[in-house]
Amino acid sequence: MPWNIGVLGAGPGVAALHLPVLGRLAELFKVVHIADAGSGRAQGLAERLGARWSVGEADLLADPAVHLVAICSPPAEHARQILAAVAAGKPAIFCEKPLATSREEADEVISACRLAGTVLLVGTNHLFDAAWGRARHHLVALAGRVQAISVTLALPPNGRYHRLVAEGGPFQAARRERLDLDSPAVAAGVLRQLLTGLAIHDLPAVRDIAPGIDEVVYARVAPPVGYLVGYRAGGILVQLALTMLPEGPDALWRMNIATSHDRIEVNFPPAFVHAGSAATRVRSTDGQWTEYRRDPEDGYMAQWRLLASLLEGGVPVEYDELLADSHFAIDLADAAAAKVLEGVPQ
Amino acid sequence: MSSANPGLGIFTVLPSYLAAAAELAVSAALTRDVSGAVAVVPGSGDWWQGMLDARAGGAAAVVIADPAALPQKGPGAYPWPGDIPVIVERPRLRPDVVADAVRAGRGRPARIVTVECAAPAAGLEAVIRDGLGWARSLVRGPLTLQVCSATAQARIALLDSGGSAGGAMPVTLGATAAAGLHADGLLQVLALGEVRTEVTVDQRAGLTRLETSTEDGTLRAPERYESSARLALRRAIEAQSSGQPGTDLDELLEDMSLTRAVLAT
């Protein structure tokens, strides 16, 4: 029997991503309830699935048919909704990234889930991509010492990919008013938001091979919307770059890992669409390039399959790792924001 | 038949330039007399002195072949008069590939340029220098180092350019020393914007790849089959003929100066 899911949130991530993914995994999961925060979108999504719909989270959490709560609401709601789901006695939670927006929140939700034995998975899909697993294996097997990591993103508007996996938009949020990025306080806030909202895709993988943040070397918001962050983690230097473009080529989402022996390049597919796993290639110092085969399933599918394994008790929930990943992202975002504010009178 | 013009004299002992001269049978001819010739100065060792010696010997133009680090007694002690053309052969920064990249960029400025270099320690400085040269070419202006940090085997830097739209265009550099004793390395440059340019130069793999991506797809520029030496020689002959001194040396010195600043951290 599939696990019954209640989805909190009815935005583009649900319509264009999670519902289609769960449709692909019908033998494992069934959506039985969708709740929105008053947008009215839940009804339309739920009716097509024969699921219940509601406004707010109370009805969904009180629904005895809901076994697993998928939290797909805005990030500021995540921690509170996890605590509410645990309090409602729900045995399993899928939480879209980020888990929490502060260290305190992260501590509280992990503590609550651990105490209740709640199964918890955070949707950092790149971490579950088979290609990342192979890259990680390559690093371990060849024991090359990691010297530097870069994660480079150049992203066109999401609408281009939404249109390929959903109908009935617009899914794109209305254009916000132009932000005054010359203001250090505004820039620091935007940077923090981008790191916890977008860089978070890859930060657990980065932490896996370069734990800690010793010093932020540079941190900057890059107009029109983007960031440049460089930091040192022990003997490893890390560079993060993002530019969000109003138009342009397909998404570039690349992680490079330079070791003493080789250089590993992982190219993730665009968000929302299903193009299989990332593409990984390795360049050794003798100039040989090796391309790994791609897996037909992407990280989105893999993360839900892992959640099914967690529910079946096949693998343990790594509460400590989830907490450490969350702390790491928050610490980096705070440190980068502080770098932007360096020297600015508060 | 009247005797054909033998072409401009080429003064060199480097095999790649002997071959290049053979491939320019109409416009070039090997000579044992540097006077009035294009003198090819090997880029290893004290090439600065070699360049000055060639000029003193009456060379009409100089080619510096794949220069390594700037010798200690360089422009500070012995300035270059600048009265004859100097062409610099930089196999990782070929002017024809640079021109292809700039042309394919359609004049759309990048938002961010990233440069990543990996090479054995012996060759890393030259790869960084050419990586910075690529960035300078793609942003079409000089770069200023903002901040740099290094570990024993790697370094990262943030640089700025004035940018064509007047705002500072950021450039990041990441460089790592890899195992090996050879000097060849890997250089990857990305200019991220509405038009994306990706340059990969991997001398060890015999690879120079330029790809330009737009919403319509990715165009890979045709491979440049002309040897780097022949291109340099051809440019030297053209410069000598036109009397234009060119900007190669100034650009090389600018890239070297910036590289030294990065490495000094």
Side-chain angles (χ1 to χ4, degrees), chain B residues 3 46 87 116 154 165 172:
Chain B
S3 63
D46 192 347
I87 296 299
E116 296 199 24
T172 64

Side-chain angles (χ1 to χ4, degrees), chain A residues 193-205:
Chain A
Q193 219 171 359
L194 290 172
L195 289 171
T196 55
L198 259 172
I200 190 77
H201 280 82
D202 306 291
L203 291 180

Side-chain angles (χ1 to χ4, degrees), chain A residues 177-300:
Chain A
E177 62 185 274
R178 194 175 177 84
L179 294 166
D180 177 16
L181 297 177
D182 291 334
S183 156
V186 173
V190 169
L191 180 59
R192 195 181 188 288
Q193 219 171 359
L194 290 172
L195 289 171
T196 55
L198 259 172
I200 190 77
H201 280 82
D202 306 291
L203 291 180
V206 171
R207 187 187 76 83
D208 201 20
I209 47 179
I213 305 148
D214 290 317
E215 179 201 7
V216 174
V217 178
Y218 60 84
R220 181 190 287 186
V221 170
V225 183
Y227 55 67
L228 293 160
V229 176
Y231 69 94
R232 190 169 55 78
I236 303 174
L237 295 170
V238 183
Q239 291 177 292
L240 310 175
L242 161 74
T243 181
M244 297 174 75
L245 301 162
E247 58 175 310
D250 269 325
L252 174 87
W253 200 309
R254 178 178 295 172
M255 178 186 284
N256 272 324
I257 304 161
T259 80
S260 48
H261 292 80
D262 52 24
R263 192 159 169 284
I264 304 165
E265 180 182 295
V266 184
N267 287 293
F268 291 99
F272 297 101
V273 297
H274 302 285
S277 72
T280 302
R281 57 182 188 160
V282 179
R283 189 262 184 189
S284 59
T285 49
D286 62 3
Q288 180 171 314
W289 291 77
T290 306
E291 202 148 332
Y292 282 77
R293 71 172 174 81
R294 292 178 74 165
D295 204 86
E297 284 202 349
D298 55 29
Y300 295 129

Side-chain angles (χ1 to χ4, degrees), chain A residues 37-340:
Chain A
S39 68
R41 287 194 294 254
Q43 181 179 1
L45 296 175
E47 282 178 347
R48 282 196 295 278
L49 297 170
R52 286 175 292 287
W53 61 273
S54 59
V55 178
E57 62 212 35
D59 286 353
L60 185 146
L61 294 179
D63 185 342
V66 171
H67 186 84
L68 190 166
V69 179
I71 296 174
C72 306
S73 51
E77 304 293 324
H78 290 181
R80 186 184 59 74
Q81 290 178 334
I82 291 172
L83 294 174
V86 172
K90 298 302 180 189
I93 297 167
F94 169 88
C95 181
E96 256 304 350
K97 52 201 165 291
L99 175 71
T101 57
S102 72
R103 270 182 157 259
E104 295 70 26
E105 278 185 1
D107 291 342
E108 199 177 356
V109 298
I110 291 296
S111 173
C113 289
R114 197 195 307 259
L115 193 64
T118 308
V119 169
L120 175 65
L121 186 130
V122 180
T124 45
N125 53 299
H126 286 175
L127 187 64
F128 308 109
D129 191 304
W132 167 245
R134 273 194 283 276
R136 183 78 180 85
H137 176 75
H138 179 97
L139 282 170
V140 172
L142 294 187
R145 204 170 63 78
V146 175
Q147 297 172 340
I149 302 168
S150 67
V151 185
T152 307
L153 284 67
L155 307 178
N158 279 339
R160 180 184 303 182
Y161 303 114
H162 287 160
R163 284 195 295 275
L164 303 177
V165 291
E167 282 186 319
F171 296 108
Q172 202 70 18
R175 188 177 288 270
R176 295 178 189 168
E177 62 185 274
R178 194 175 177 84
L179 294 166
D180 177 16
L181 297 177
D182 291 334
S183 156
V186 173
V190 169
L191 180 59
R192 195 181 188 288
Q193 219 171 359
L194 290 172
L195 289 171
T196 55
L198 259 172
I200 190 77
H201 280 82
D202 306 291
L203 291 180
V206 171
R207 187 187 76 83
D208 201 20
I209 47 179
I213 305 148
D214 290 317
E215 179 201 7
V216 174
V217 178
Y218 60 84
R220 181 190 287 186
V221 170
V225 183
Y227 55 67
L228 293 160
V229 176
Y231 69 94
R232 190 169 55 78
I236 303 174
L237 295 170
V238 183
Q239 291 177 292
L240 310 175
L242 161 74
T243 181
M244 297 174 75
L245 301 162
E247 58 175 310
D250 269 325
L252 174 87
W253 200 309
R254 178 178 295 172
M255 178 186 284
N256 272 324
I257 304 161
T259 80
S260 48
H261 292 80
D262 52 24
R263 192 159 169 284
I264 304 165
E265 180 182 295
V266 184
N267 287 293
F268 291 99
F272 297 101
V273 297
H274 302 285
S277 72
T280 302
R281 57 182 188 160
V282 179
R283 189 262 184 189
S284 59
T285 49
D286 62 3
Q288 180 171 314
W289 291 77
T290 306
E291 202 148 332
Y292 282 77
R293 71 172 174 81
R294 292 178 74 165
D295 204 86
E297 284 202 349
D298 55 29
Y300 295 129
M301 299 281 282
Q303 68 189 7
W304 282 102
R305 285 198 192 281
L306 175 61
L307 184 52
S309 297
L310 291 168
L311 284 160
E312 287 156 9
V315 286
V317 179
E318 297 184 321
Y319 295 114
D320 291 334
E321 287 298 304
L322 291 172
L323 183 59
D325 282 343
S326 182
H327 281 173
F328 177 72
I330 291 163
D331 290 349
L332 178 62
D334 287 344
K339 188 76 178 174
V340 170

